[in-house]
């Protein structure tokens, strides 16, 4: 991590009010894919003929959204989840998320301080799905690996990661990240970290040369209609 947690938190506190409006089309596409892969609709498998990460209803699932920010992923998944736990280091961002949850009348989502390596989740909580969008790239490669191992220890069924990641050699003239604060990994580095932590990588979605979504599964995978 190129800056301390406190420095990152302060930076996002300052951005909180206008954060949602400032995001790029690639960011929004990535977030939409994370939401789709974490909780697909009941007809997805039949309509597309392809398996999804979580083909059954998520209504009994607990979702942990790490680096939740203003709650884009958490709030989208909440209507179809038993409970959604949002964790972030920026109180300013989470205040925006809480406001939006109140406005939407969502009572099954809660936001509190937590990090990738210390997610602040009760040990008795049965987390089924972990999501994260545009947050893990702040960690160094070793810190990402440690974070994925911590998440694996929660024994989720599915981890859907949307983030800045390199599918090839990044163009120094068109970086999709801020080199002074961000530290993206290659897709291969992330894939190795997931595999070493006991996950199977079941989908790789490329949004941009430097942006993608990875779906990782643990244990047996039961696909719905349309799977071979």
């Amino acid at each position: 991590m190129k800056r301390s947690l406190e420095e990152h938190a302060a930076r996002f506190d300052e951005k909180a009010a206008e954060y949602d409006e400032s995001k790029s089309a690639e960011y929004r596409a990535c977030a939409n894919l994370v939401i789709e892969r974490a909780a697909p609709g009941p007809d997805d498998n039949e309509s597309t003929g392809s398996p999804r990460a979580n083909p059954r209803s998520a209504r009994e699932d607990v979702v942990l959204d790490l680096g939740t920010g203003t709650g884009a992923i958490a709030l989208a998944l909440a209507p179809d989840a038993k409970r959604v736990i949002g964790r972030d280091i920026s109180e300013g961002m989470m205040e925006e998320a809480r406001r939006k949850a109140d406005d939407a009348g969502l009572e099954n989502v809660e936001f509190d301080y937590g990090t990738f390596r210390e997610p602040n989740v009760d040990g008795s909580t049965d987390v089924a799905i972990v999501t994260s969008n545009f947050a893990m790239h702040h960690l160094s490669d070793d810190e990402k690996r440690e974070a994925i191992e911590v998440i694996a220890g929660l024994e989720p069924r599915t981890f859907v990661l949307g983030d800045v990641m390199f599918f090839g050699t990044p163009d120094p003239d068109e970086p999709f990240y801020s080199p002074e604060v961000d530290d993206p990994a290659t897709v291969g580095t992330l894939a190795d970290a997931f595999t070493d932590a006991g996950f199977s990588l079941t989908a790789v979605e490329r949004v941009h040369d430097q942006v993608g979504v990875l779906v990782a599964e643990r244990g047996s995978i039961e696909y719905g209609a349309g799977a071979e």
Side-chain angles (χ1 to χ4, degrees):
M1 182 177 288
K2 294 182 176 179
R3 292 190 180 180
S4 69
L5 287 175
E6 292 77 15
E7 288 172 327
H8 277 297
R11 188 165 65 93
F12 283 106
D13 284 346
E14 293 177 359
K15 295 181 175 182
E18 67 275 1
Y19 185 80
D20 291 344
E21 289 72 24
S22 69
K23 305 320 292 178
S24 67
E26 290 84 356
Y27 172 93
R28 297 180 191 282
C30 192
N32 288 338
L33 276 171
V34 171
I35 293 164
E36 177 187 351
R37 286 295 189 168
D43 299 325
D44 277 356
N45 293 323
E46 296 178 3
S47 63
T48 66
S50 62
R52 292 297 188 187
N54 180 28
R56 69 180 182 82
S57 171
R59 291 192 181 277
E60 296 182 358
D61 286 338
V62 175
V63 179
L64 171 63
D65 185 40
L66 292 169
T68 194
T70 59
I73 307 300
L75 299 175
L77 295 178
D80 292 320
K82 178 180 180 180
R83 179 185 174 203
V84 179
I85 303 167
R87 294 290 182 260
D88 204 280
I89 61 172
S90 168
E91 184 60 30
M93 298 284 273
M94 288 188 289
E95 280 299 317
E96 289 293 314
R98 294 184 189 108
R99 178 186 59 76
K100 290 193 288 184
D102 288 342
D103 290 346
L106 295 170
E107 298 181 352
N108 65 330
V109 57
E110 54 104 348
F111 300 97
D112 203 349
Y113 182 90
T115 69
F116 283 103
R117 290 171 291 168
E118 295 183 6
N120 186 24
V121 176
D122 188 320
S124 64
T125 301
D126 186 13
V127 174
I129 301 168
V130 177
T131 58
S132 183
N133 191 56
F134 270 60
M136 191 179 281
H137 64 273
H138 297 301
L139 303 180
S140 69
D141 287 356
D142 286 343
E143 290 168 335
K144 291 184 187 72
R145 180 176 290 276
E146 183 181 349
I148 290 170
E149 289 174 352
V150 169
I151 293 164
L154 299 174
E155 299 186 347
R157 181 178 68 251
T158 304
F159 183 7
V160 185
L161 173 67
D163 209 349
V164 183
M165 59 184 71
F166 299 140
F167 286 85
T169 302
D171 184 345
D173 295 325
E174 295 186 7
F176 202 86
Y177 65 103
S178 300
E180 68 275 10
V181 294
D182 300 332
D183 197 4
T186 65
V187 173
T189 296
L190 292 169
D192 287 345
F194 277 118
T195 300
D196 291 346
F199 287 98
S200 296
L201 203 62
T202 58
V204 179
E205 301 269 7
R206 182 171 177 165
V207 176
H208 177 278
D209 287 348
Q210 299 176 37
V211 178
V213 174
L214 305 182
V215 180
E217 305 276 354
R218 285 175 57 87
S220 61
I221 305 170
E222 298 180 1
Y223 294 121
E228 296 182 358

